[in-house]
């Protein structure tokens, strides 16, 4: 069983920064890929960013490109999302996700962490 635990959410003013962390535990594969999704009130969950198991490939939604940076520390089995220049429209519950390779559906999900950006 794999567990993903997020931390780092909170309330921040527009233009501010937050750093989310997600620690994976349990039986993860050697090529465990991770990512971030978010869900705003009344909206569907949407893709934010992913990073390959080796860390050499990253992908971002257009809405966060240039403002958010994903990274990982494989020694700690942890993925990070550095969020800069936050906007009120970034307000959402952010979910960490994992999968057993760089391709396919994400099969493991964290409980989510709330990010609120005030204007």
């Amino acid at each position: 069983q794999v567990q993903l635990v997020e931390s780092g959410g909170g309330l921040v003013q527009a233009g501010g920064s937050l750093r989310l962390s997600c620690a994976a535990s349990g039986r993860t594969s050697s090529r465990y890929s991770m990512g971030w999704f978010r869900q705003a009130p009344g909206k569907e969950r949407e893709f934010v960013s992913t990073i390959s198991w080796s860390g050499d490939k990253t992908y971002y939604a257009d809405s966060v490109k240039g403002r958010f940076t994903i990274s990982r520390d494989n020694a700690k089995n942890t993925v990070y999302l550095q969020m800069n220049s936050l906007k009120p429209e970034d307000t959402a519950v952010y979910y960490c996700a994992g999968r057993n390779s760089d391709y396919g559906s994400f099969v493991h999900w964290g409980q989510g962490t709330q990010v609120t950006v005030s204007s």
Side-chain angles (χ1 to χ4, degrees):
Q1 193 76 0
V2 174
Q3 285 192 324
L4 303 177
V5 179
E6 303 103 332
S7 60
L11 173 65
V12 65
Q13 287 189 332
S17 297
L18 281 175
R19 187 194 196 205
L20 305 183
S21 300
C22 174
S25 62
R27 302 185 67 176
T28 59
S29 72
S30 59
R31 296 180 176 239
Y32 198 69
S33 171
M34 300 179 76
W36 292 94
F37 291 73
R38 68 185 182 186
Q39 187 168 18
K43 295 187 177 181
E44 294 188 353
R45 188 175 299 188
E46 65 175 5
F47 164 76
V48 175
S49 180
T50 61
I51 186 166
S52 62
W53 68 271
S54 62
D56 64 340
K57 295 183 180 64
T58 58
Y59 303 91
Y60 298 93
D62 287 343
S63 58
V64 307
K65 205 170 291 183
R67 300 187 298 121
F68 291 10
T69 303
I70 192 170
S71 61
R72 66 186 297 161
D73 182 340
N74 284 347
K76 297 181 179 179
N77 240 5
T78 299
V79 66
Y80 306 95
L81 187 67
Q82 178 66 44
M83 306 185 294
N84 299 329
S85 302
L86 282 161
K87 304 175 181 180
E89 51 263 44
D90 294 317
T91 295
V93 177
Y94 283 71
Y95 296 91
C96 176
R99 56 187 177 184
N100 293 315
S101 73
D102 286 342
Y103 306 99
S105 301
F106 285 92
V107 294
H108 304 124
W109 294 88
Q111 81 285 355
T113 185
Q114 177 70 46
V115 171
T116 303
V117 184
S118 63
S119 57

